[in-house]
């Protein structure tokens, strides 16, 4: 079962998603405290994390991969989101100050190509932030993490939202993501 953009939207509207959004937004602002006049691009399903920047940044837009789908954002306003091929972003070279990828790489069939596109649109001295879960690589802790992830997280999802399957998918998608060292090499 692959999540699509509607599943992601629904997750961020339920209680666990609202909590995750609140915590991650606060950390994101700590990483990017000053964005005055910057152009910010959200790739994937980054829209839950973009609103705090809209009043200050010069431009905030979102591109969602075709495999994921797209939903209108921001709700009740002129759209600032578009559907895009992950390996051909509809932006000029060196046109963006900050890129944040959220729930984008997990949908990517061309991971390296998507990352190259993100680098292509970034201006020199810009910032790149990727919010994707990765696996634990510490021996011993990795087994505990897997046990918790596959047995506890889906049950928490079922208890809070009535949906264990989406949380099983989340855990499985984390397992499919490149290991931290491999991903670090990909973005260097």
């Amino acid at each position: 079962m692959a999540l699509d953009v509607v599943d992601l939207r629904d997750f961020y509207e339920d209680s666990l998603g609202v909590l995750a959004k609140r915590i991650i937004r606060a950390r994101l602002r700590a990483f990017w405290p000053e964005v005055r006049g910057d152009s910010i691009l959200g790739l994937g399903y980054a829209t839950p994390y973009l609103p705090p920047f809209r009043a200050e940044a010069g431009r905030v837009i979102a591109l969602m991969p075709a495999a994921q789908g797209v939903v209108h954002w921001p709700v009740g306003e002129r759209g600032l989101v578009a559907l895009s091929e992950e390996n051909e972003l509809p932006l000029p070279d060196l046109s963006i100050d900050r890129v944040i990828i959220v729930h984008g790489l997990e949908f990517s069939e061309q991971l390296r190509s998507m990352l190259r596109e993100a680098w292509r649109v970034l201006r020199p001295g810009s910032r790149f932030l990727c919010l994707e879960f990765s696996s634990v690589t510490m021996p011993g802790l990795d087994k505990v993490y897997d046990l918790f992830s596959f047995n506890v997280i889906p049950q928490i999802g079922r208890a809070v939202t009535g949906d264990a399957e989406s949380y099983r998918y989340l855990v499985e998608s984390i397992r499919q993501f490149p290991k931290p060292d491999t991903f670090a090499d990909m973005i260097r």
Side-chain angles (χ1 to χ4, degrees):
M1 172 196 153
L3 295 179
D4 65 17
V5 72
V6 173
D7 297 316
L8 291 168
R9 181 197 61 204
D10 292 349
F11 167 75
Y12 282 105
E13 290 175 355
D14 76 29
S15 56
L16 287 178
V18 168
L19 177 62
K21 188 168 42 176
R22 184 179 318 131
I23 292 167
I24 294 169
R25 276 182 179 176
R27 295 295 302 147
L28 185 54
R29 276 310 280 200
F31 279 114
W32 292 351
E34 174 62 45
V35 298
R36 189 173 326 282
D38 286 354
S39 57
I40 299 175
L41 169 63
L43 284 176
Y45 193 71
T47 56
Y49 305 108
L50 298 177
F53 300 111
R54 289 189 60 213
E56 186 182 346
R59 174 175 57 155
V60 178
I61 58 172
L63 295 174
M64 296 182 183
Q68 179 181 20
V70 67
V71 292
H72 182 84
W73 177 80
V75 175
E77 298 181 43
R78 191 177 118 248
L80 298 173
V81 65
L83 190 67
S84 174
E85 293 298 329
E86 63 192 46
N87 61 347
E88 215 174 318
L89 300 180
L91 298 168
D93 294 355
L94 310 173
S95 60
I96 299 293
D97 297 299
R98 297 170 189 268
V99 171
I100 178 172
I101 298 180
V102 184
H103 299 294
L105 301 178
E106 68 196 66
F107 290 93
S108 179
E109 293 180 9
Q110 301 174 42
L111 186 63
R112 289 182 191 275
S113 181
M114 184 179 196
L115 290 169
R116 268 194 305 276
E117 279 295 283
W119 293 132
R120 179 185 65 77
V121 302
L122 278 169
R123 290 184 176 118
S126 298
R127 300 286 181 252
F128 172 84
L129 186 59
C130 179
L131 298 180
E132 299 282 352
F133 288 102
S134 187
S135 56
V136 174
T137 57
M138 183 182 296
L141 185 57
D142 58 346
K143 303 287 188 244
V144 173
Y145 177 79
D146 280 351
L147 186 66
F148 177 81
S149 297
F150 284 98
N151 295 296
V152 177
I153 291 176
Q155 296 312 313
I156 292 171
R158 174 179 284 130
V160 174
T161 68
D163 177 19
E165 192 57 35
S166 293
Y167 293 86
R168 276 191 202 89
Y169 168 77
L170 173 65
V171 171
E172 189 56 41
S173 70
I174 293 168
R175 180 175 270 184
Q176 300 303 317
F177 196 75
K179 300 289 184 216
D181 290 344
T182 302
F183 186 66
D185 288 341
M186 293 172 82
I187 61 173
R188 286 193 182 122

